[in-house]
């Protein structure tokens, strides 16, 4: 039986929040979040934060910490055309999901010892979407008008996320116990609605969580970026270098995620978290409308950027390091000489090394890496990227987040919201990872932590 209520440790402060963070009452350590408002508060706080960012990005002062310039009326938020556009977008991405895939991958083993199949065609969906959008623009599609609709589009996406999450919750009520997620079955409806009760909600072979994880939100993010670039070209004659950099960096990130789509099958979102409001809202609304913040800021607050500084930022963002097993001393010297070349290099190198090892530990690219055996039969990497810190992919992510913000200059804090938010997110996720790994690997995890003492940033954290 799945633990219920008081027998299960609740995250995010439980249904209504607790005195302390995401663990038990009064059990705060540096690995846990500060006081949490709880799942009920997050249901309101997350959409409110998204709308706050959309409003201040287009305001003159663009103050992250100040009040919004105004509170929009319902007429400004609600638009049936925006709702229709969101539903059409979701329908298009669902149709592309159902197209024949270049590969079908199996997920992790479930409680009942079965494995689900997943189509690996996310990059194909990105390319086909780009072709369709390109043809639409040539035919007169007013893509540059999209930025003027961001508020009603975000409102429609939020409404869809709430309704979708409610349907998912109702579906999970009739799901077998073996289909429920470890953490979303507390017995409290608010908490379970937020975190998600069912692990892999499906209709036939269509997996809702896997579909939403990378497709509509990430591809929608780069589409919004492109629309902002096109509107800037209309307003100023040509896009700024800063806008080109933000678009290029984030397109590289999204393209990389979709090209390596199979890697998402080993993430906590897929193998542990249920599919509720937390992921539905994050995937469908938060990602496209919040992650495009730098491009939104640049449209209303143009930032002059010279080629020398742009070159430095490009080096910070980084170039491909697929499957690299270069030792940490090389990375330290690379960081000193070319900071931007570190972000993507570490991110892709670490993820590729992990995925290669999970698929085939005898692969020549990882066969010589040092490991620690565990009681589960799996081995933990203690050399290469994963011997430098416990989460080198998070380190690469944070360096890239910095590079995305730097083209916006340093006069405003607002473009750095993503970096601040992502730091908090990854520190929280790292704490969740630690708890999961400790439960799974026991003494072997303690041994690994002694060998690799730093969590994300070498010699700092």
């Amino acid at each position: 039986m799945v633990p219920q209520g008081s027998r299960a440790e609740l995250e995010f402060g439980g249904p209504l929040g607790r005195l302390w963070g995401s663990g038990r009452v009064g059990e705060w350590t540096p690995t846990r979040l500060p006081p949490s408002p709880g799942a009920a508060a997050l249901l309101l706080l997350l959409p409110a934060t998204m709308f706050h960012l959309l409003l201040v990005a287009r305001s003159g002062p663009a103050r992250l910490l100040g009040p919004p310039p105004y509170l929009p009326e319902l007429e400004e938020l609600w638009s049936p055309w925006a709702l229709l556009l969101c539903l059409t977008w979701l329908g298009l991405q669902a149709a592309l999901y159902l197209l024949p895939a270049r590969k079908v991958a199996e997920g992790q083993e479930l409680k009942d010892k079965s494995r689900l199949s997943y189509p690996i065609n996310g990059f194909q969906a990105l390319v086909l979407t780009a072709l369709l959008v390109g043809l639409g623009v040539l035919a007169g599609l007013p893509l540059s008008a999209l930025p003027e609709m961001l508020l009603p589009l975000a409102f429609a996406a939020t409404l869809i996320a709430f309704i979708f999450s409610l349907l998912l919750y109702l579906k999970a009520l009739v799901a077998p116990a073996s289909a429920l997620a470890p953490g979303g079955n507390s017995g409290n409806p608010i908490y379970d609605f937020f975190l998600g009760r069912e692990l892999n909600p499906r209709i036939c072979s269509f997996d809702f969580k896997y579909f939403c994880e990378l497709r509509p939100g990430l591809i929608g993010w780069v589409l919004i970026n492109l629309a902002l670039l096109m509107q800037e070209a209309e307003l100023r004659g040509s896009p700024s270098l800063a806008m080109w950099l933000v678009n290029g960096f984030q397109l590289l990130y999204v393209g990389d995620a979709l090209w390596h789509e199979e890697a998402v099958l080993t993430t906590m979102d897929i193998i542990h978290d249920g599919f509720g409001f937390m992921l539905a809202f994050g995937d469908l609304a938060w990602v496209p409308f919040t992650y495009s913040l730098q491009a939104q800021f640049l449209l209303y607050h143009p930032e002059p950027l010279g080629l020398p500084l742009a070159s430095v930022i490009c080096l910070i963002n980084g170039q491909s390091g697929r499957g690299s097993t270069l030792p940490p001393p090389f990375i330290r010297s690379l960081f000193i000489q070319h900071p931007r070349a570190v972000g993507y290099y570490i991110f892709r190198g670490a993820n590729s090394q992990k995925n290669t090892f999970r698929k085939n530990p005898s692969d020549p690219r990882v066969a010589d890496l040092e490991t620690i055996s565990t009681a589960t039969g799996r081995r933990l990497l203690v050399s290469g990227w994963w011997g430098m810190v416990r989460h080198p992919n998070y380190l690469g992510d944070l360096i890239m987040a910095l590079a995305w913000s730097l083209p916006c200059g340093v006069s405003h804090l607002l473009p750095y919201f993503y970096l601040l938010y992502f730091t908090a997110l990854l520190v929280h996720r790292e704490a969740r990872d630690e708890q999961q790994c400790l439960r799974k690997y026991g003494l072997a995890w303690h041994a690994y932590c002694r060998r690799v003492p730093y969590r994300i940033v070498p010699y700092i954290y």
Side-chain angles (χ1 to χ4, degrees):
M1 180 178 292
V2 181
Q4 298 279 336
S6 61
R7 288 180 290 168
E9 182 175 316
L10 304 185
E11 300 181 83
F12 305 102
L16 299 174
R18 297 180 177 186
L19 179 63
W20 298 106
S22 59
R24 298 181 178 88
V25 177
E27 191 183 62
W28 184 88
T29 70
T31 64
R32 296 189 184 277
L33 281 179
S36 168
L42 287 174
L43 288 171
L44 301 176
L45 180 62
L46 291 174
T49 301
M50 180 184 70
F51 285 110
H52 173 78
L53 295 172
L54 289 170
L55 290 168
V56 299
R58 63 180 65 193
S59 69
R63 295 191 185 97
L64 173 62
L65 301 179
Y70 70 98
L71 294 179
E73 300 288 340
L74 181 60
E75 292 77 10
E76 188 177 355
L77 294 174
W78 167 247
S79 165
W81 290 108
L83 179 61
L84 179 61
L85 189 57
C86 284
L87 293 173
T88 301
W89 175 254
L90 290 173
L92 170 64
Q93 295 306 317
L96 296 177
Y97 174 94
L98 294 172
L99 290 178
R102 61 184 173 90
K103 179 181 179 182
V104 176
E106 285 192 340
Q108 300 290 299
E109 187 177 277
L110 302 176
K111 294 177 185 177
D112 60 3
K113 306 303 181 182
S114 66
R115 293 177 184 267
L116 297 175
S117 297
Y118 299 88
I120 308 300
N121 58 1
F123 191 81
Q124 172 183 301
L126 174 65
V127 172
L128 291 175
T129 300
L131 290 174
L132 291 173
V133 170
L135 291 173
V137 171
L138 290 175
L141 178 70
L143 187 61
S144 60
L146 191 65
E148 301 301 325
M149 296 183 63
L150 288 185
L151 276 177
L153 285 171
F155 185 80
T158 303
L159 182 63
I160 290 171
F162 268 105
I163 295 174
F164 186 33
S165 301
L166 178 61
L167 295 176
L168 290 169
Y169 179 80
L170 295 175
K171 179 182 182 300
L173 293 178
V174 296
S178 61
L180 300 181
N185 189 33
S186 69
N188 183 286
I190 296 176
Y191 180 80
D192 293 345
F193 172 84
F194 177 78
L195 207 62
R197 295 190 80 239
E198 193 171 357
L199 184 62
N200 301 294
R202 288 186 164 210
I203 292 181
C204 297
S205 62
F206 194 98
D207 191 295
F208 293 111
K209 182 169 69 172
Y210 175 71
F211 165 72
C212 290
E213 186 75 10
L214 295 181
R215 313 295 183 99
L218 262 66
I219 301 177
W221 169 20
V222 296
L223 181 63
I224 291 173
N225 276 355
L226 176 61
L228 291 160
L229 182 147
M230 293 180 65
Q231 189 175 59
E232 185 182 49
E234 289 185 2
L235 291 174
R236 304 188 180 101
S238 64
S240 65
L241 179 56
M243 182 69 84
W244 278 116
L245 283 185
V246 168
N247 269 257
F249 292 163
Q250 296 181 351
L251 176 60
L252 172 67
Y253 184 85
V254 171
D256 177 89
L258 292 169
W259 181 260
H260 298 93
E261 184 180 26
E262 187 175 353
V264 80
L265 300 179
T266 61
T267 62
M268 180 180 289
D269 285 358
I270 297 295
I271 64 178
H272 178 268
D273 291 339
F275 193 34
F277 181 81
M278 179 180 72
L279 288 181
F281 174 78
D283 294 338
L284 302 179
W286 182 268
V287 166
F289 297 104
T290 300
Y291 286 20
S292 58
L293 182 63
Q294 288 92 358
Q296 295 177 47
F297 176 86
L298 288 171
L299 177 63
Y300 300 103
H301 307 85
E303 184 70 25
L305 184 65
L307 283 175
L309 181 56
S311 300
V312 172
I313 295 172
C314 286
L315 289 172
I316 295 173
N317 190 70
Q319 301 303 319
S320 174
R322 287 181 173 81
S324 173
T325 57
L326 290 172
F330 173 83
I331 301 306
R332 287 196 290 269
S333 66
L334 181 64
F335 188 85
I336 293 170
Q337 297 174 41
H338 305 292
R340 172 56 179 119
V342 173
Y344 183 66
Y345 191 93
I346 293 177
F347 172 79
R348 177 43 48 210
N351 279 325
S352 293
Q353 189 176 80
K354 174 187 69 175
N355 294 328
T356 300
F357 183 79
R358 282 178 170 174
K359 288 181 183 177
N360 180 17
S362 301
D363 189 297
R365 291 172 292 178
V366 296
D368 295 332
L369 296 178
E370 190 177 352
T371 63
I372 291 178
S373 298
T374 71
T376 66
R378 294 190 174 186
R379 291 180 289 163
L380 301 175
L381 288 171
V382 290
S383 62
W385 291 107
W386 301 86
M388 181 173 65
V389 290
R390 297 178 210 166
H391 302 277
N393 50 340
Y394 293 178
L395 175 61
D397 248 331
L398 291 175
I399 295 172
M400 286 192 291
L402 173 64
W404 299 352
S405 304
L406 287 174
C408 300
V410 294
S411 60
H412 291 79
L413 182 61
L414 181 64
Y416 293 84
F417 169 82
Y418 177 83
L419 175 62
L420 299 173
Y421 149 77
F422 214 52
T423 300
L425 174 71
L426 292 182
V427 168
H428 176 253
R429 182 172 290 245
E430 179 273 331
R432 297 178 74 203
D433 289 344
E434 293 280 322
Q435 294 169 11
Q436 292 294 323
C437 290
L438 181 59
R439 284 194 288 265
K440 187 173 183 178
Y441 301 119
L443 294 176
W445 185 252
H446 285 298
Y448 172 72
C449 292
R450 288 193 295 270
R451 288 288 302 272
V452 187
Y454 299 103
R455 298 169 182 265
I456 299 176
V457 184
Y459 306 106
I460 297 177
Y461 176 72

